[in-house]
Amino acid sequence: MIGDWPWLQALRDMYAGFAWPWMWLAFPLPWLTRWLLPPNRGTSAALRVPYGGQLRTIASVHGFRGRRRVAALAWLAWFLLCAAAARPQTFGEAVTPPHAGRDLMLAVDLSGSMSEADMALGGSVVDRLTAAKAVLADFLDRRSGDRVGLLVFGQRAYALTPLTLDLQSVREQLRDSVVGLAGRETALGDAIGLAVKRLSAREKGQRVLILLTDGVNTAGMLEPLKAAELAAQARVRVHTIAFGGSGMTSFFGMAVPLPGTGGEEIDEATLRRIADMTGGRSFRARDIEQLASIYAELDRLEPVAQPGEQVRPRVERYALPLLLALGVGLLGLALPRRPS
């Protein structure tokens, strides 16, 4: 069967139709014009001879074939012009619309207490920052489609990467971050304020900040709750993660403060308040397993938008019949006017 031929099926799948099919109404216009308008009769004097009929017969016999060829070419050229005007289209290759993800900023604490080695990772004891990096790297692997930025904070807050779809750059900057890079104290408010500034520069959409810290606010010019107010005004949702122990450790049976903490516990109350004010969630992680489960929960709370259904764009093909019409017109001009 002809309908089963592969090339015919491929042609049928590729053809999308005409964008302006009503332009085909112009095709019979030359014939209608000739039929409706009266013939053009000359007004000049004519010389009549007795053998005029014979001359007309000879001319019609010799010129019929040439006129027929010219008329056929003219109609073909007009047909192609009408086809071009109707804008023929074909289907292009199927494409998937881009993700409509969110703007997500990661804020990671690099204060001195993040160097405390009290986390188990792969059978080894590692410091808090190393554990956080491992969990964050896995989290980034699942954020394809989001624009992700990375900022770090200690005594001051610094943006290491702007909001970007290039998650590999974010991973590299996170990997190269070290404790004390931004100072050994903790400026929670400044970190939130910088994140809000970066997120607010984007068009309105879903703006999310995930803040990980193991201490209390001990530095910076902006108070954490004031920064939370700014985040709420900018419609930035802040999820806070309190990571680490209580700030105390055991030394020969006595409780002593961890270096850089002064024995202070994590300010969970302030972190909860920040999350509540901005519509986010507050979490507490005392080991790497809890931290991993928190980021898994954040994946559920802030899902990556799935790609849309594949679409096949329409491709304009009017240039082909237009070029063919030009070629047919040039061919008609090249034909001899009189038979040889």
Side-chain angles (χ1 to χ4, degrees):
M1 296 294 291
I2 295 180
D4 296 332
W5 289 359
W7 65 269
L8 188 59
Q9 182 64 38
L11 184 63
R12 187 184 303 115
D13 292 341
M14 184 176 59
Y15 177 67
F18 294 94
W20 296 343
W22 45 268
M23 290 299 296
W24 283 110
L25 295 176
F27 182 68
L29 286 181
W31 180 81
L32 290 175
T33 302
R34 183 177 179 183
W35 180 62
L36 293 176
L37 295 180
N40 184 21
R41 299 183 180 275
T43 58
S44 59
L47 177 65
R48 298 181 179 276
V49 294
Y51 47 85
Q54 296 177 352
L55 290 177
R56 286 193 296 272
T57 301
I58 294 172
S60 63
V61 169
H62 288 282
F64 174 73
R65 183 174 300 174
R67 290 198 306 272
R68 186 171 62 177
R69 284 199 299 264
V70 172
L73 289 176
W75 277 107
L76 178 58
W78 180 245
F79 172 83
L80 292 171
L81 287 174
C82 291
R87 290 178 55 195
Q89 298 175 332
T90 59
F91 288 115
E93 293 294 330
V95 296
T96 301
H99 294 277
R102 67 203 65 213
D103 295 329
L104 190 149
M105 186 70 74
L106 299 175
V108 180
D109 189 349
L110 296 184
S111 61
S113 56
M114 289 292 287
S115 63
E116 180 64 27
D118 58 356
M119 293 291 158
L121 177 63
S124 302
V125 177
V126 298
D127 60 77
R128 296 173 181 176
L129 181 58
T130 300
K133 286 181 180 180
V135 176
L136 278 169
D138 181 66
F139 177 74
L140 287 171
D141 288 339
R142 301 191 295 269
R143 303 313 299 183
S144 178
D146 282 350
R147 286 179 292 269
V148 179
L150 175 66
L151 68 85
V152 296
F153 62 97
Q155 187 172 354
R156 295 183 180 179
Y158 299 95
L160 294 186
T161 61
L163 290 164
T164 178
L165 292 171
D166 183 9
L167 300 187
Q168 183 59 34
S169 296
V170 181
R171 293 187 191 94
E172 292 174 358
Q173 291 291 340
L174 177 64
R175 182 191 60 207
D176 296 337
S177 300
V178 295
V179 171
L181 179 65
R184 304 191 68 83
E185 297 185 65
T186 307
L188 286 176
D190 287 2
I192 297 172
L194 179 58
V196 170
K197 181 179 179 181
R198 292 303 179 98
L199 290 167
S200 299
R202 303 289 306 186
E203 296 180 0
K204 290 185 177 180
Q206 297 196 56
R207 303 164 177 171
V208 180
L209 168 64
I210 300 177
L211 184 143
L212 182 144
T213 182
D214 72 339
V216 297
N217 187 69
T218 57
M221 301 180 61
L222 189 61
E223 290 295 325
L225 295 182
K226 180 60 178 178
E229 291 180 10
L230 298 177
Q233 292 173 6
R235 296 190 178 182
V236 174
R237 190 162 50 253
V238 182
H239 300 294
T240 60
I241 302 175
F243 182 46
S246 62
M248 302 293 290
T249 187
S250 176
F251 183 73
F252 291 105
M254 295 184 298
V256 297
L258 290 171
T261 67
E264 295 177 295
E265 295 186 0
I266 300 174
D267 191 355
E268 295 184 53
T270 298
L271 294 177
R272 281 194 298 268
R273 181 62 179 152
I274 291 171
D276 292 341
M277 292 172 63
T278 59
R281 291 277 302 276
S282 180
F283 301 94
R284 181 71 169 94
R286 290 180 172 81
D287 53 43
I288 193 170
E289 288 77 14
Q290 290 181 349
L291 184 61
S293 66
I294 287 170
Y295 278 103
E297 176 69 8
L298 289 173
D299 261 334
R300 187 187 66 81
L301 293 175
E302 304 289 351
V304 175
Q306 297 299 316
E309 296 182 0
Q310 284 191 336
V311 296
R312 298 184 65 184
R314 292 173 180 261
V315 182
E316 297 285 350
R317 299 298 185 189
Y318 64 86
L320 179 60
L322 198 59
L323 290 175
L324 290 175
L326 178 61
V328 171
L330 293 175
L331 180 62
L333 292 176
L335 289 177
R337 296 296 180 180
R338 296 178 181 178
S340 56

